[in-house]
Amino acid sequence: MIPGPTPVPEKVLQALGKHPIGHRSKEFQKLVESTTKNLQWLHQTQNDVLTITGSGTAAMEAGIINTLSSGDKVICGENGKFGERWVKVAQEFGLEVIKISSEWGTPLNPEEFAKKLEEDKRKEIKAVILTHSETSTGVINDLERISLYIREHGTALSIVDCVTSLGACNVPVDEWKLDIVASGSQKGYMIPPGLSFIAVSEKAWEATEKSDLPKFYLNLKSYRKSLLSNSNPYTPAVNLVFALDEALKMMRDEGLQNIFQRHNKHKLALSNAVKSLNLKLFADEKYLSPSITAIETEEIDAEEFRNMIKNKFDILLAGGQDHLKGKIFRVGHLGYINDRDIITIISAISNILLDQNKITSQQAGDALLVASKYLKAD
Ligand SMILES: Cc1ncc(COP(=O)(O)O)c(C=O)c1O
């Protein structure tokens, strides 16, 4: 139960095991036609959604190098490891970064974005770049409000990492007018790592005409041109595309609202059960990500706790990153996750706490009752 790679359904695994086919064949073109249509459905957009062979970071980098130019001024939201990554990518390509930061575990303050954008009378800010669901801390940022302020600015592009929010909660790309949305296959998509996705608005395509940053493999214009014939500019990871097609069909069968509801109830069941076990949630409770719950273990080293869960129950959890190592552990609950998984991880956490004499068996039982209340809420 790490926040990616996430569990892969049997049907998707079987699709991966098929013999590869030629990527210029009619059969493959049909597949790309189907995945493209379903990717647009998932993103709730009419914009182009391109598939890149490469991990989520490839789509993040592509978003920057295709729409911006050396020396451009951008705002980067930073409240965790992946916000930091945006800053690193932007600086690597010579952009002038204005950071809007908040402490890890707390959300970015949309009003700070409003203020900076409002002050930019000369329209020098070319893009606002941020992470929607911050996987390192389990915080979800208020993208809806921030995107509203970006629209009010008028010219700045929104470039967003939706790697652990897309396919877990509502990301209506057209309604929020998001210009670049990056995501990766090993998360809500329920397929192995190796593909990334990038939704590109018309406004972002216009920006590509002026962009002077170097690019070749990640030049999105090549992907757009190929997509006109349901093709790819280079040899794609054909078997991952088989898997993608299967996974997207499963998602369509479940329905967007049901997917969001399932993630929400799992978040509520786990977070409330954890609190009843006297453990603290690391993230601000009003901004809990639907995909990851970060838990503080004040008296026990979080890495030790994680190892105990692994050794006793063979459940892998994620640790804290950077200064949070040993202070928190993170439970991933995105993608192919069901109620049983949630009950199992709560029981495993309770069992370790019982072994350590940190809780009573009454508390362990109560935590499951708390969780059941939320799991029933369909
Ligand atoms: C929020 C977020 N952004 C970006 C990434 C980077 O994706 P990748 O490791 O696929 O390059 C991750 C991966 O965990 C992530 O969780």
Side-chain angles (χ1 to χ4, degrees):
M1 292 191 79
I2 58 172
T6 61
V8 180
E10 198 66 29
K11 261 192 197 172
V12 178
L13 287 172
Q14 280 168 2
L16 279 168
K18 286 204 255 180
H19 198 284
I21 57 174
H23 60 291
R24 305 282 176 224
S25 64
K26 287 251 170 331
E27 206 179 336
F28 193 71
Q29 283 174 329
K30 270 188 115 167
L31 202 60
V32 172
E33 191 180 355
S34 159
T35 55
T36 303
K37 195 171 70 195
N38 287 336
L39 283 168
Q40 287 175 313
W41 165 81
L42 179 65
H43 288 74
Q44 303 177 61
T45 189
Q46 300 296 316
N47 292 344
D48 290 314
V49 185
L50 309 169
T51 301
I52 298 170
T53 300
S55 78
T57 308
M60 291 169 67
E61 179 166 323
I64 287 189
I65 62 179
N66 282 275
T67 57
L68 297 165
S69 295
S70 183
D72 274 356
K73 207 183 253 191
V74 297
I75 293 178
C76 281
E78 192 257 76
N79 59 336
K81 188 84 184 159
F82 294 101
E84 259 184 9
R85 183 168 303 175
W86 272 132
V87 174
K88 283 186 189 158
V89 179
Q91 288 176 338
E92 189 64 34
F93 285 99
L95 305 183
E96 187 186 329
V97 174
I98 305 165
K99 272 198 241 176
I100 293 186
S101 306
S102 77
E103 221 178 290
W104 289 28
T106 63
L108 295 166
N109 178 357
E111 301 317 310
E112 287 186 44
F113 287 79
K115 186 165 179 287
K116 281 268 180 301
L117 289 165
E118 167 72 26
E119 284 166 3
D120 181 37
K121 303 287 182 220
R122 294 167 64 183
K123 306 291 177 201
E124 286 173 343
I125 295 169
K126 300 294 180 216
V128 177
I129 305 174
L130 72 147
T131 307
H132 190 195
S133 160
E134 197 21 281
T135 316
S136 61
T137 61
V139 166
I140 188 124
N141 287 310
D142 189 351
L143 178 59
E144 182 174 9
R145 182 147 290 271
I146 296 171
S147 68
L148 179 75
Y149 295 143
I150 302 171
R151 293 203 295 280
E152 283 173 1
H153 177 271
T155 57
L157 294 171
S158 48
I159 302 184
V160 195
D161 167 347
C162 290
V163 171
T164 52
S165 60
L166 203 90
C169 63
N170 195 27
V171 186
V173 172
D174 285 357
E175 188 186 325
W176 293 354
K177 295 204 167 19
L178 303 173
D179 295 304
I180 294 282
V181 172
S183 59
S185 57
Q186 76 277 23
K187 309 284 184 179
Y189 289 91
M190 312 183 288
I191 67 176
L195 294 182
S196 55
F197 310 95
I198 182 162
V200 186
S201 73
E202 264 321 305
K203 186 169 158 190
W205 282 124
E206 280 164 28
T208 64
E209 296 304 325
K210 291 188 219 123
S211 163
D212 72 1
L213 294 173
K215 50 208 159 258
F216 183 80
Y217 183 74
L218 292 178
N219 189 332
L220 294 180
K221 284 189 196 166
S222 318
Y223 288 81
R224 177 157 76 160
K225 187 161 170 250
S226 297
L227 199 62
L228 292 173
S229 51
N230 292 312
S231 192
N232 286 76
Y234 316 108
T235 315
V238 168
N239 288 52
L240 286 173
V241 180
F242 289 150
L244 173 67
D245 192 42
E246 217 39 76
L248 288 170
K249 284 176 179 160
M250 283 180 67
M251 291 172 107
R252 279 203 91 138
D253 286 346
E254 186 175 358
L256 271 188
Q257 293 313 319
N258 291 336
I259 294 173
F260 302 157
Q261 214 177 346
R262 174 167 58 83
H263 282 81
N264 188 51
K265 78 174 179 179
H266 288 164
K267 168 190 89 175
L268 291 173
L270 178 59
S271 56
N272 283 293
V274 157
K275 281 196 303 182
S276 77
L277 293 170
N278 296 339
L279 292 174
K280 263 175 68 185
L281 298 172
F282 180 70
D284 182 327
E285 231 186 290
K286 292 196 287 302
Y287 295 89
L288 294 179
S289 165
S291 307
I292 316 108
T293 300
I295 299 164
E296 282 187 56
T297 52
E298 276 169 331
E299 290 169 30
I300 315 171
D301 181 274
E303 285 302 289
E304 253 177 61
F305 199 95
R306 206 159 76 83
N307 285 335
M308 287 187 276
I309 298 240
K310 176 77 181 91
N311 294 337
K312 194 161 178 187
F313 298 106
D314 198 23
I315 301 173
L316 180 66
L317 302 176
Q321 291 167 294
D322 295 349
H323 63 282
L324 295 178
K325 198 170 178 69
K327 296 206 162 54
I328 62 167
F329 66 86
R330 293 171 299 141
V331 182
H333 39 89
L334 78 159
Y336 194 51
I337 295 287
N338 62 22
D339 292 1
R340 183 188 57 195
D341 298 316
I342 300 297
I343 289 290
T344 305
I345 188 61
I346 294 168
S347 305
I349 294 172
S350 303
N351 191 278
I352 298 295
L353 291 171
L354 272 174
D355 285 351
Q356 303 272 318
N357 292 321
K358 300 283 183 205
I359 56 165
T360 61
S361 45
Q362 172 78 38
Q363 276 177 292
D366 287 350
L368 287 176
L369 285 178
V370 168
S372 303
K373 192 179 102 194
Y374 290 97
L375 294 177
K376 261 195 237 139
D378 262 337

